């Protein structure tokens, strides 16, 4: 991203939609200022389907004066655009959001793996769980496809999960309970990466051994 800064006209706006660490976006913002550019971080929520339907969410960190223009630039692909504060708050909020999303998906996978090993019928389990407090979008993405014999319901790779969990673990290092959970999730996905699953989807961990 910063390699492009010298090629841009002064006062141009850079809208960075990468999921990144807060420290990194702060460095990029400083480089942008040095190049007389306006820098906005806007990591996105949602996946391929939301992108195709222009239903992504943008978690924006920027100067208040830059938010109106940044919103106009993001509107063609985003249904919800929220400014969380200055540069750095977008990355922080996105990582917490991913902690919740990836954590929920991980619990769905582990619950279904346990159910299978304990002889619990997946279809009946899903029907019951989807009517209780364990219901989630992750459950709806993962369970029906797994029941049908496919394990590609959660379209996010294990390699990307490792990257995000490394960022999340660092962010939550001073938060004992949340940090411990993040480190556990990171270990699970590093183990999967180490056996060659880095390009597989998170939900592929449901495949029989």
């Amino acid at each position: 991203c910063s390699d492009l800064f010298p090629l841009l006209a002064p006062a141009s706006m850079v809208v960075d939609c990468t999921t990144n660490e807060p420290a990194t976006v702060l460095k990029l913002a400083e480089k942008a200022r040095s190049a007389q550019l306006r820098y906005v971080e806007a990591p996105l929520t949602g996946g391929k389907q939301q992108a195709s339907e222009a239903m992504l969410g943008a978690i924006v960190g920027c100067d208040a004066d830059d938010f109106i223009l940044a919103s106009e630039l993001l509107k063609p692909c985003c249904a919800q655009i929220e400014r969380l504060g200055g540069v750095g708050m977008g990355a922080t909020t996105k990582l917490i959001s991913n902690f919740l999303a990836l954590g929920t998906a991980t619990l769905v996978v582990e619950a279904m793996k346990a159910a299978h090993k304990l002889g619990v019928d997946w279809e009946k389990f899903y029907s019951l769980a989807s009517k209780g407090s364990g219901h989630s979008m992750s459950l709806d993405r993962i369970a029906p496809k797994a029941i049908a014999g496919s394990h590609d319901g959660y379209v996010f790779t294990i390699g990307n999960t490792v990257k995000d969990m490394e960022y999340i673990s660092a962010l939550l290092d001073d938060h004992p309970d949340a940090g411990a959970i993040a480190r556990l999730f990171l270990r699970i996905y590093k183990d999967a990466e180490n056996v060659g699953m880095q390009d597989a989807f998170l939900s592929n961990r449901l495949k029989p051994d």
Side-chain angles (χ1 to χ4, degrees):
C1 174
S2 61
D3 292 341
L4 298 175
F5 290 174
L7 305 178
L8 302 177
S12 295
M13 176 175 285
V14 175
V15 181
D16 183 356
C17 296
T18 311
T19 297
N20 222 324
E21 296 179 285
T24 299
V25 297
L26 289 170
K27 289 177 183 177
L28 287 170
E30 182 57 36
K31 289 182 178 180
R33 279 192 291 271
S34 297
Q36 300 180 18
L37 302 173
R38 301 159 73 184
Y39 179 85
V40 174
E41 53 154 348
L44 303 175
T45 62
K48 290 183 179 179
Q49 181 176 341
Q50 289 81 8
S52 67
E53 297 171 353
M55 293 297 290
L56 294 170
I59 304 173
V60 180
C62 67
D63 293 340
D65 292 343
D66 288 334
F67 183 61
I68 293 175
L69 176 57
S71 296
E72 291 300 317
L73 295 173
L74 290 163
K75 275 182 182 178
C77 62
C78 296
Q80 184 171 3
I81 303 166
E82 298 285 351
R83 178 177 178 266
L84 275 297
V87 172
M89 286 306 299
T92 298
T93 306
K94 177 62 190 300
L95 291 178
I96 295 297
S97 177
N98 279 15
F99 181 43
L100 177 61
L102 295 173
T104 302
T106 302
L107 289 175
V108 169
V109 169
E110 293 303 323
M112 292 191 68
K113 284 172 65 178
H116 179 71
K117 289 181 179 179
L118 293 168
V120 177
D121 181 274
W122 269 358
E123 191 165 1
K124 293 178 180 178
F125 172 75
Y126 172 57
S127 179
L128 291 167
S130 64
K131 293 176 177 61
S133 57
H135 187 215
S136 66
M137 289 178 66
S138 292
L139 182 66
D140 289 342
R141 289 178 182 176
I142 295 169
K145 285 202 169 187
I147 291 164
S150 171
H151 303 291
D152 60 354
Y154 201 94
V155 186
F156 199 79
T157 68
I158 285 171
N160 279 335
T161 303
V162 168
K163 174 184 72 71
D164 282 8
M165 280 297 170
E166 287 177 337
Y167 293 163
I168 292 164
S169 294
L171 180 68
L172 299 176
D173 191 49
D174 293 332
H175 301 266
D177 295 335
I181 294 170
R183 287 189 293 273
L184 172 60
F185 288 161
L186 176 58
R187 196 252 322 148
I188 288 171
Y189 290 105
K190 276 195 169 180
D191 287 348
E193 189 176 56
N194 289 338
V195 296
M197 293 185 69
Q198 63 271 10
D199 295 324
F201 293 142
L202 180 158
S203 47
N204 284 148
R205 293 185 55 252
L206 268 175
K207 284 185 178 180
D209 296 333

